[in-house]
């Protein structure tokens, strides 16, 4: 039985990569738009006045004259167990991990704690308009079970995995090559493709895995068609030097993963700041993606991601908040920092490209572009309603905006969770401000 419902507001979404078709052809904008949803699926999007006469006249319609509807945002790299340590002071990556991160992650041996944090984490994502995320758990199998159970209750499209790490970390946070393989496999068999959930094989980063563990991670990835691989790559200069010492037989950082068959169309590498040309090339060749995490890269002082290099080599890129190294759950605020990272390299980040990275580009990085990332008919009904009058400053500034590009740019500069009026996942309201 059809359950049609419509939302009337301004609507903008990307339909292609601006790099391939040019900015003007990469998006659709309807100043007075209508989004028609049938249960959990988008039925139509277009001009309200064109669509309305074609639809049942008693169809339930919500009107948001101050709203701007966009697809739900996609966060391609975040750590749910780091929710409560966001904003930890004063350190760069390796000291930051030992001082703050590892003790915090130790708490996730307790499933009750894990479930409590998972619920608060999901609330935070949804109040920021993020409907899909690629998420790190901890080394504890129960951390991933708690997370997936919380997602399942709200029918969210989420990807998560148990951290694999067997060295250079405290004893209370290490597994073994065999136990990490076995537990990851059990989690895949229980959770991967259950409803809207997916599994990511998650070696933390090269320094915390032995060769044996990385080799088994690659073997496991090869056993499935569509399981993800999620790790960190080339984030911090001290980390890169350490990887060289630990893996003297690798050509570069990425090659450590490559030698273990960990590059694939469903492999996502967070950061990728200090890469050489052959690493970009290899990421492209294998269809791997990079998660660009500007708030984290600035906050832990890692460096400036070279978006133009990734584009030159045609590497898929999505946006990541990297909470708790990142400082905000908001993809709008993450785009604000991304703009500045690009500015510091004497380039510009166009707001349409930003919208793309946060939605359809992220979906492509995760190979989910046939399900999420825009509002075309047949897509899952994951969307947000932005409020043009969310704050006094947004109200006055947006009143002067001359184009949808300018309005988007203002939302990305001034907006945060306050700008999110409502978030929908599979047609259901999962956040209302
Ligand atoms: N590299 C290895 N582990 C981590 C982590 O938890 N956060 C970040 N930002 N980088 C890492
Ligand atoms: Zn991270």
């Amino acid at each position: 039985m059809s359950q049609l419902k419509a939302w009337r507001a301004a609507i903008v979404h990307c339909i292609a990569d601006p790099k391939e078709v040019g900015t003007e052809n990469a998006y659709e904008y309807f100043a007075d738009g209508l989004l028609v949803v049938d249960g959990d699926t988008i039925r139509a999007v277009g001009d309200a006045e064109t669509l309305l006469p074609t639809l049942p006249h008693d169809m339930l319609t919500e009107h948001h004259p101050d709203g701007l509807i966009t697809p739900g945002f996609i966060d391609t790299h975040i750590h749910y167990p780091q929710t409560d340590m966001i904003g930890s002071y004063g350190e760069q990556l390796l000291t930051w991990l030992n001082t703050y991160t590892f003790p915090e992650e130790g708490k996730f041996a307790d499933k009750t704690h894990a479930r409590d944090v998972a619920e608060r984490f999901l609330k935070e994502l949804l109040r920021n308009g993020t409907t899909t995320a690629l998420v790190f758990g901890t080394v504890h199998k129960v951390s991933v079970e708690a997370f997936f159970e919380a997602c399942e209750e709200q029918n969210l499209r989420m990807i998560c995995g148990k951290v694999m790490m067997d060295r250079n970390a405290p004893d209370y946070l290490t597994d073994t090559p065999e136990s990490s393989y076995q537990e990851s496999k059990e989690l895949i068999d229980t959770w991967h493709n259950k409803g809207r959930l997916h599994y990511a094989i998650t070696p933390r980063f090269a320094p915390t895995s032995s060769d044996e563990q990385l080799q088994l991670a690659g073997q496991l990835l090869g056993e499935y068609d569509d399981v993800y691989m999620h790790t960190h790559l080339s984030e911090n200069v001290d980390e890169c030097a350490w990887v060289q010492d630990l893996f003297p037989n690798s050509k570069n950082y990425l090659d450590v993963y490559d030698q273990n068959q960990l590059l694939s169309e469903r492999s996502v590498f967070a950061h990728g700041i200090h890469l050489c040309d052959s690493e970009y090339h290899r990421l492209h060749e294998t269809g791997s993606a990079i998660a660009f995490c500007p708030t984290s890269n600035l906050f832990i002082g890692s460096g400036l991601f070279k978006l133009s290099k990734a584009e030159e080599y045609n590497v898929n890129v999505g946006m990541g908040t990297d909470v708790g190294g990142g400082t905000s759950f908001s993809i709008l605020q993450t785009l604000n920092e991304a703009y500045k990272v690009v500015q510091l390299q004497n380039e510009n980040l166009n707001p349409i490209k930003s919208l793309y990275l946060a939605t359809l580009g992220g979906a492509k990085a995760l190979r989910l572009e046939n399900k999420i990332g825009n509002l075309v008919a047949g897509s899952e009904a994951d969307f947000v309603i932005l409020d043009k009058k969310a704050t006094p400053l947004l109200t006055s500034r947006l009143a002067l905006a001359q184009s949808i590009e300018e309005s988007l740019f203002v939302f990305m500069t001034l907006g945060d969770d306050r700008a999110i009026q409502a978030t929908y996942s599979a047609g259901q309201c999962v956040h209302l401000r």
Side-chain angles (χ1 to χ4, degrees):
M1 197 184 69
S2 121
Q3 302 164 275
L4 283 191
K5 182 172 173 188
W7 285 262
R8 184 170 186 171
I11 300 176
V12 65
H13 70 148
C14 284
I15 50 174
D17 185 345
K19 179 161 52 69
E20 284 166 17
V21 300
T23 304
E24 290 306 311
N25 299 317
Y27 70 100
E28 286 182 330
Y29 172 59
F30 308 101
D32 177 18
L34 197 75
L35 179 70
V36 186
V37 171
D38 187 354
D40 56 6
T41 306
I42 293 169
R43 164 76 75 87
V45 65
D47 281 316
E49 291 195 353
T50 315
L51 279 176
L52 279 170
T54 70
L55 294 158
H57 61 287
D58 60 348
M59 177 184 62
L60 202 61
T61 303
E62 268 186 36
H63 196 186
H64 294 268
D66 298 321
L68 173 64
I69 294 177
T70 71
F73 300 133
I74 298 176
D75 188 336
T76 60
H77 179 68
I78 186 165
H79 301 251
Y80 100 79
Q82 296 175 15
T83 301
D84 291 337
M85 53 157 287
I86 190 168
S88 292
Y89 176 79
E91 302 297 346
Q92 292 213 352
L93 179 65
L94 301 176
T95 320
W96 176 85
L97 283 173
N98 286 312
T99 311
Y100 301 114
T101 316
F102 290 158
E104 185 67 20
E105 292 193 6
K107 299 177 188 169
F108 289 73
D110 173 8
K111 191 170 178 183
T112 308
H113 175 76
R115 179 65 191 249
D116 168 55
V117 178
E119 283 179 8
R120 288 188 288 110
F121 168 88
L122 291 175
K123 274 209 181 88
E124 207 56 49
L125 284 185
L126 297 171
R127 60 183 284 113
N128 281 286
T130 299
T131 47
T132 289
L134 174 56
V135 181
F136 259 67
T138 64
V139 74
H140 313 98
K141 192 180 178 198
V142 290
S143 75
V144 176
E145 292 167 342
F147 180 75
F148 278 144
E149 285 164 15
C151 294
E152 202 175 29
E153 283 192 356
Q154 295 190 81
N155 193 23
L156 304 174
R157 188 166 285 291
M158 291 283 166
I159 313 169
C160 186
K162 176 203 116 65
V163 168
M164 306 170 81
M165 65 175 162
D166 66 348
R167 63 168 174 170
N168 294 319
D171 287 346
Y172 62 83
L173 273 188
T174 49
D175 51 18
T176 67
E178 295 73 26
S179 72
S180 66
Y181 171 90
Q182 192 54 39
E183 292 186 2
S184 300
K185 194 173 180 63
E186 286 162 12
L187 286 166
I188 293 169
D189 292 341
T190 307
W191 291 103
H192 184 58
N193 293 336
K194 184 168 192 219
R196 302 178 82 205
L197 304 174
H198 310 277
Y199 193 81
I201 295 166
T202 308
R204 178 172 215 114
F205 67 154
T208 47
S209 286
S210 63
D211 279 305
E212 297 71 37
Q213 184 167 61
L214 292 173
Q215 194 258 321
L216 280 177
Q219 183 181 319
L220 187 58
L221 187 64
E223 289 173 29
Y224 296 87
D225 282 342
D226 60 351
V227 163
Y228 292 87
M229 200 291 301
H230 185 199
T231 191
H232 296 93
L233 170 70
S234 206
E235 176 177 5
N236 163 288
V237 287
D238 292 344
E239 170 209 12
C240 293
W242 194 22
V243 170
Q244 280 264 284
D245 284 349
L246 290 169
F247 299 92
N249 296 324
S250 63
K251 283 185 283 194
N252 50 52
Y253 194 153
L254 185 69
D255 192 46
V256 175
Y257 299 127
D258 205 356
Q259 286 184 9
N260 289 290
Q261 280 70 53
L262 288 165
L263 278 59
S264 79
E265 289 197 343
R266 284 183 173 70
S267 295
V268 179
F269 296 90
H271 311 301
I273 295 174
H274 312 282
L275 299 177
C276 63
D277 286 358
S278 63
E279 290 173 292
Y280 291 110
H281 180 64
R282 192 66 191 134
L283 287 167
H284 162 71
E285 258 184 353
T286 55
S288 302
I290 299 178
F292 173 21
C293 308
T295 78
S296 168
N297 298 163
L298 297 172
F299 183 71
I300 33 183
S302 303
L304 303 179
F305 176 66
K306 299 178 189 71
L307 181 60
S308 58
K309 271 282 189 187
E311 287 182 343
E312 179 188 332
Y313 281 90
N314 252 306
V315 178
N316 284 333
V317 176
M319 297 309 302
T321 60
D322 194 29
V323 165
T327 50
S328 175
F329 280 82
S330 168
I331 289 288
L332 294 173
Q333 275 310 296
T334 303
L335 293 171
N336 184 17
E337 299 304 288
Y339 179 80
K340 298 170 192 171
V341 165
V342 174
Q343 281 287 87
L344 283 168
Q345 299 171 82
N346 282 315
E347 286 160 12
N348 284 141
L349 180 53
N350 172 291
I352 297 298
K353 188 187 285 182
S354 291
L355 176 69
Y356 176 78
L357 290 170
T359 57
L360 187 58
K364 282 190 179 159
L366 301 176
R367 310 286 165 181
L368 290 172
E369 71 272 23
N370 293 326
K371 295 186 163 64
I372 56 171
N374 66 16
L375 304 173
V376 297
S379 279
E380 296 175 354
D382 288 6
F383 62 95
V384 301
I385 306 174
L386 299 172
D387 177 7
K388 294 181 195 166
K389 296 198 169 152
T391 69
L393 194 57
L394 272 168
T395 307
S396 56
R397 181 63 185 85
L398 285 170
L400 296 175
Q402 306 276 331
S403 64
I404 180 61
E405 285 94 332
E406 188 178 352
S407 294
L408 277 173
F409 188 62
V410 169
F411 267 121
M412 289 162 185
T413 307
L414 301 179
D416 52 30
D417 54 337
R418 295 168 296 176
I420 310 296
Q421 175 75 50
T423 305
Y424 286 82
S425 174
Q428 298 298 311
C429 183
V430 285
H431 166 70
L432 191 60
R433 195 190 63 203

